[in-house]
Amino acid sequence: MFVSEREAALALSSGDLVALPTETVYGIAAKFDDENAVNNIFLLKKRPQSNPLIIHVSDVQDIFPLIEGRPDYLETLATKFWPGPLTLILPIIPHAVPANVRACLPTAAFRIPNHPKTLNILSKTGPLVMPSANLSGKPSATCPKHIQDDFGNTLKIVDGGHTNLGIESTILYYHKGLWKILRRGALPKEAFQDYFSHTQEPSMTKKTLCPGTHYKHYSPKATLHLNLPTKTTCTVLGFIERQYPSHNVRFLGSENTPKTVAKNLYNTLRKLDEDHIEEAFIDMHFPKTGLWETIRERLVRASQKI
Ligand code: TXA
Ligand code: MG
């Protein structure tokens, strides 16, 4: 059900959940200090309570009363990248951030999203938690149809069309004087090179500090293979410039435009299920740098069944 920005702000203030657009993916919003509404998000998404939520604000000043101390480069990062697809995990003042938001961790995740409608709503409601607007484990929602497919027509939605970037924010974590990338995202690691040289990268195999990266994620029902098929009858996800022996080729986009590939990635994965395709083979021959690294990581995760 579509609602206006005004209706969304009123609904959120009275404890309701509303799906809001951001520049990355859609989120399901609730007031961060409304315990009941936050619990309802976990129930609706079927999300484990141990997976904490990102607190979204419209102004960096809203964060300072919630956090403990001032990590190096916080202001620099905030000035350079907010509003935008960057999430920062910061140590918090425990009584200032409800435990269910942060899964009882001593830190919380913060972001200022870059979307005029959602910034307007945030300026009226104050801080909102906003996990991606998908059933837990499925590809994130990049348009209202994806939200309706997962949750039906009863959830209130502010329509922002298709999201600009199509892939989630990059998450940085400050620990013992170092910033680390916990989740690859719409900002590639190269984006941070001018600001500090300490970022370490997430490992796909090693246990990381980002609880969300332990769960099945971004997965369609279809089985995904990270190689090209030998049979001609299979579905292939590939690039428009290339020839494939398969008869059923679906395009991820161009090998020259990772931004467009990222923007359409979740829609391409969701479309497999919509068209009842049970198995697809992916052309993984693309660069290992920049946004391609995020795309590769999402495809690897999407192909994992657990
Ligand atoms: O682009 C985005 O970040 C989108 C839009 C809606 O803003 N949101 C999003 O939220 O992707 P979600 O809940 O789907 O992913 C948040 C990730 C999870 O992997 C979670 O484990 C991690 O952030 N996270 C949240 N708080 C954390 C904390 N205190 N420490 C470590 N990881 C945390
Ligand atoms: Mg998510």
Side-chain angles (χ1 to χ4, degrees), residues 23-298:
E23 79 283 30
T24 58
V25 298
Y26 276 77
I28 300 182
K31 290 264 288 171
F32 94 115
D33 53 358
D34 184 330
E35 193 183 345
N36 205 31
V38 172
N39 285 340
N40 285 341
I41 287 196
F42 286 98
L43 290 174
L44 183 68
K45 275 181 60 80
K46 300 189 169 51
R47 179 181 176 111
Q49 297 263 1
S50 55
N51 192 4
L53 307 173
I54 301 175
I55 300 171
H56 295 65
V57 297
S58 60
D59 191 314
V60 71
Q61 297 301 329
D62 294 343
I63 291 175
F64 295 134
L66 309 179
I67 63 169
E68 186 80 66
R70 292 280 186 284
D72 301 339
Y73 300 107
L74 170 59
E75 265 98 345
T76 313
L77 289 167
T79 308
K80 171 67 188 166
F81 294 105
W82 282 347
L86 176 67
T87 293
L88 298 177
I89 310 254
L90 302 169
I92 46 99
I93 301 167
H95 66 81
V97 180
N100 64 348
V101 167
R102 54 189 165 85
C104 300
L105 294 168
T107 55
F110 296 92
R111 161 165 131 80
I112 303 184
N114 191 9
H115 195 287
K117 291 188 178 184
T118 295
L119 285 172
N120 176 36
I121 292 164
L122 279 165
S123 71
K124 296 188 166 84
T125 58
L128 296 171
V129 289
M130 242 203 297
S132 50
N134 53 281
L135 280 172
S136 205
K138 293 213 6 175
S140 299
T142 53
C143 63
K145 179 181 179 300
H146 297 163
I147 305 171
Q148 288 159 345
D149 287 347
D150 280 13
F151 301 110
N153 279 324
T154 49
L155 181 64
K156 296 183 174 70
I157 303 174
V158 171
D159 188 5
H162 197 292
T163 62
N164 264 341
L165 303 177
I167 225 154
E168 300 84 352
S169 60
T170 302
I171 301 183
L172 295 187
Y173 174 74
Y174 186 75
H175 187 59
K176 295 188 178 161
L178 297 178
W179 285 97
K180 297 179 184 185
I181 297 179
L182 277 197
R183 176 177 75 179
R184 288 195 177 90
L187 279 173
K189 70 167 187 292
E190 290 83 348
F192 307 108
Q193 274 167 4
D194 289 349
Y195 302 94
F196 45 85
S197 55
H198 305 312
T199 43
Q200 294 176 10
E201 292 191 67
S203 150
M204 291 221 198
T205 49
K206 223 170 59 186
K207 190 171 182 285
T208 68
L209 295 159
C210 191
T213 56
H214 301 307
Y215 304 109
K216 175 172 165 309
H217 218 149
Y218 319 116
S219 305
K221 287 194 204 107
T223 301
L224 301 178
H225 302 281
L226 305 178
N227 57 283
L228 289 171
T230 45
K231 293 179 284 180
T232 54
T233 48
C234 306
T235 301
V236 166
L237 300 185
F239 296 95
I240 50 174
E241 294 85 359
R242 301 183 190 168
Q243 301 285 322
Y244 302 97
S246 167
H247 303 313
N248 313 311
V249 182
R250 291 171 167 238
F251 292 114
L252 290 162
S254 161
E255 60 186 15
N256 300 313
T257 55
K259 278 194 173 163
T260 319
V261 173
K263 182 169 177 169
N264 297 325
L265 188 65
Y266 294 144
N267 193 48
T268 311
L269 295 180
R270 281 175 172 265
K271 198 86 179 57
L272 294 173
D273 289 349
E274 214 176 297
D275 297 343
H276 307 290
I277 290 170
E278 288 172 6
E279 186 178 49
F281 291 76
I282 308 177
D283 182 353
M284 297 293 285
H285 294 100
F286 50 78
K288 292 197 164 88
T289 52
L291 193 52
W292 288 114
E293 271 192 313
T294 306
I295 294 165
R296 179 181 305 280
E297 195 258 355
R298 296 300 193 267

